[in-house]
């Protein structure tokens, strides 16, 4: 212990995991995972620390901790043992359970005490646990943290069972000046790191102290701090451009910059050129050719008027023979742009309709027809959606036209066969359509119906494109589900979860009303011919539950809704996501109010009393109609004859408020709906406080059950209030 601070001595800690080059896209998530896992392990091990940094290059993940306790603190522990009734026999002698507990905690049985909890009396031992040296603890927890990092893909190599993204090469681990003797599978930790593959010929070097780590690597040609590499790249590219062309600017691309940062250990920025003839191509085609496989940055004009015939790139190495590197990169890029130019020219020889006809030879889904069949369905489904949901007025001809030719670019030379331009699906189709004379709205719909392209991607923001995007995804979900490709666990080969999330985002973020249950029904009917005899109602029910689950997750995770409120509303309101969100917001404003909690508790009591005697879902609308007509039972029961005043009061209050409730619901004033229910709370509380439902009189009991069944049936149409009831019954 340090006499000055009365705290454990602390030393800097270094861990470096060396490997073959890990894909750049894996590294940022791995850094966050490693920091979290090691932090959690240190906390569980009661080792204090300050200043944890994770550094990474393609060949190494490193953790630097400024100050780490060199040993655990001693601790006084209370260990709970077996119940006294188990620890001692009827004759008072200790049983093997008691003796085993004493041996386990390392004290005599006589030194064990007794304590009690809600389950009775039990043995207890108070023991001292001396702290262990940090090196011993690190040897246990570091391998767990290293191997606990989740990677999207792993591999095995040699005879090892170890799984890691690429073969592990070395482990370095130092606590102060000393090596921490830990082992990760077949690798023993040491103090040796390795330098840059070309600048230092992969030379090994010893690190004497964690504080020397970055300097040693710098001497070996490695800039291990990713933030420093990022600064070197951005500043270096800016300087190269400034010296080459004052009218040129680097086009910002954070995704590409992050990837490049983790593709190199010693970044050297440079510029290259390409022929101006390629500037005839759309800028997106050139940018994709630069970025897709080459990881080059595009260069634009400072006035925003298009691209310059330049590209910016980064070499992982020094400036030796950089001219050769630039010429090599230019040759590779010339080949890619020449291909793109050929595709662009060749594709314009066919019209969108001719390419659409070619889709008849392209299988959409095995056993489910061609892509041409899909485009035929899209036209019908998009028209139905327009008329039954987000559309206004008659179905636009532009929408029908866009649905017809929106997949035509899939057979273009630019897109087909998985070329590097496949990310431009839709964009290319829209450009070819414009060149063929299609109007701007049709072209917009073709390009934007692929949006959003990712879970958080940009939305269509154009009514016809929104409808076409929803139609495309509904058709895909319905066809894949009917074909047996429903997601299971982590497997979702056709990205159906993403498609449903996209539909929900388009509806909710654009405030578009749509009955998704009916839309799923319509989409399934379009593909039903490929599975004659399929139980479509059962498939639609499964799909509806799938959509409801995705909606629940979206409202909780993306909208920040209270999970209990969402669970209360969605069972009866999921079909129209925009409406469901309005119900959730309204209920959330009442769920913690006292009167509303009396209602929620009453709803729960109804359910507990009636159990299997609830009204079927199919009869809930009729129940609501009976309340609007005065509140008689399903068999004509007149609840005015009930003997107790609280039950007659509750019946009268409910029936009297029904017209106002119906009007509030019709005007979508859902806050007023829940205000009505909240107003019934005290009457419901008096009912359950003063009325005995199950009596010795079977006839009276039946009448009271009938009344509660009607009351529950009315509530159940709006929400499962039990989900938000706070009281335990």
């Amino acid at each position: 212990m340090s006499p000055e601070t009365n705290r454990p001595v602390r030393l800097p800690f270094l861990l470096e995991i060396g490997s073959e080059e890990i894909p750049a896209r894996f590294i940022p998530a791995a850094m966050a995972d490693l920091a979290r896992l090691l932090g959690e392990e240190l906390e569980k091990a009661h080792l204090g620390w300050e200043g944890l940094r994770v550094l990474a290059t393609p060949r190494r993940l490193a953790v630097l901790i400024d100050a780490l306790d060199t040993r655990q603190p001693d601790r006084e522990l209370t260990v709970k043992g077996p119940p006294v009734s188990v620890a001692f026999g009827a004759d008072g002698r200790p049983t093997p359970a008691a003796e085993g507990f004493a041996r386990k905690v390392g004290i005599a049985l006589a030194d064990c005490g007794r304590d009690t909890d809600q389950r009775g009396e039990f043995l207890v031992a108070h023991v001292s646990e001396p702290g262990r040296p940090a090196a011993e603890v690190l040897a246990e927890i570091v391998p767990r943290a290293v191997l606990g990092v989740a990677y999207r893909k792993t591999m095995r190599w040699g005879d090892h069972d170890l799984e890691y993204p690429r073969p592990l090469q070395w482990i370095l681990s130092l606590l102060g000046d000393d090596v921490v003797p830990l082992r990760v599978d077949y690798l023993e930790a040491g103090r040796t790191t390795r330098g840059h593959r070309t600048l230092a010929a992969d030379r090994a070097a010893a690190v004497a102290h964690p504080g020397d780590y970055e300097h040693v690597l710098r001497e070996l040609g490695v800039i291990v701090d990713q933030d420093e590499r990022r600064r070197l790249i951005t500043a270096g590219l800016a300087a190269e451009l400034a010296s080459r062309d004052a009218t040129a600017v680097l086009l910002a691309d954070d995704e590409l910059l992050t990837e490049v940062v983790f593709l190199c250990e010693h970044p050297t920025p440079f510029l290259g050129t390409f022929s101006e003839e390629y500037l005839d191509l759309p800028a997106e085609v050139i940018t994709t050719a630069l970025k897709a496989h080459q990881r080059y940055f595009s260069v634009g004009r400072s006035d925003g008027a298009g691209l310059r015939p330049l590209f910016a790139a980064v070499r992982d190495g020094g400036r030796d023979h950089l001219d050769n590197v630039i010429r090599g990169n230019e040759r590779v890029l010339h080949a890619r742009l020449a291909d793109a130019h050929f595709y662009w020219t060749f594709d314009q020889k066919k019209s969108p309709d001719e390419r659409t006809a070619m889709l008849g030879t392209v299988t959409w889904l095995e056993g489910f027809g061609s892509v041409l069949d899909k485009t035929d369905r899209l036209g019908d489904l998009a028209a139905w959606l327009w008329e039954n949901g987000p559309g206004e007025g008659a179905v636009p001809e532009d929408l029908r036209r866009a649905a017809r030719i929106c997949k035509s670019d899939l057979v273009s030379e630019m897109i087909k066969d998985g070329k590097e331009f496949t990310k431009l699906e839709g964009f290319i189709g829209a450009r070819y359509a414009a060149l063929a004379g299609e109007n701007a709205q049709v072209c917009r719909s073709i390009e934007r119906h692929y949006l959003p392209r990712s879970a958080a991607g940009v939305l269509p923001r154009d009514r016809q494109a929104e409808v076409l995007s929803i139609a495309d995804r509904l058709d895909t979900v319905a066809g894949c589900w009917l074909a047996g490709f429903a997601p299971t666990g982590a497997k979702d080969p056709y990205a159906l979860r993403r498609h449903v999330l996209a539909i929900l985002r388009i509806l909710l973020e654009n405030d578009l009303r749509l009955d998704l249950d009916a839309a799923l029904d319509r989409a399934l009917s379009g593909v039903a011919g490929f599975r004659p005899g399929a139980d479509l109602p059962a498939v639609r029910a499964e799909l509806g539950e799938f959509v409801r689950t995705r909606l629940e997750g979206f409202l909780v995770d993306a909208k920040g809704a209270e999970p209990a409120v969402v669970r209360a509303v969605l069972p009866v309101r999921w079909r129209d996501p925009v409406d469901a969100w309005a119900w959730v917001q309204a209920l959330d404003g009442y769920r913690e109010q006292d009167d509303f909690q009396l209602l929620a508790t009453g709803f729960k009591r109804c359910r507990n009393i009636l159990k299997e005697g609830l009204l079927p879902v199919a009869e809930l609308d009729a129940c609501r109609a009976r309340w609007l007509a005065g509140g008689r039972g399903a068999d004509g029961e007149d609840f005015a004859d009930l003997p107790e005043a609280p039950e007659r009061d509750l019946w009268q209050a409910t029936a009297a408020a029904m017209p106002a409730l119906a009007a509030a619901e019709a005007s979508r004033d859902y806050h007023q709906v829940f205000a009505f229910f909240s107003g019934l709370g005290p009457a419901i509380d008096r009912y359950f406080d003063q009325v005995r439902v199950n009596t010795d009189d079977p006839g009276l009991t039946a009448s009271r059950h009938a009344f509660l069944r009607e009351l529950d049936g009315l509530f159940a149409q709006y929400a499962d209030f039990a989900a938000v009831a706070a009281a335990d019954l």
Side-chain angles (χ1 to χ4, degrees), residues 713-726:
L714 175 64
F715 295 165
Q717 295 169 76
Y718 297 93
D720 176 7
F721 293 113
V724 290

Side-chain angles (χ1 to χ4, degrees), residues 274-283 286 301 307-310:
F274 59 84
S275 173
E276 290 200 28
E277 68 175 303
Y278 298 128
L279 293 179
D280 292 340
L281 290 167
I286 297 173
R301 298 178 184 277
L307 299 178
R308 297 281 292 125
L310 292 169

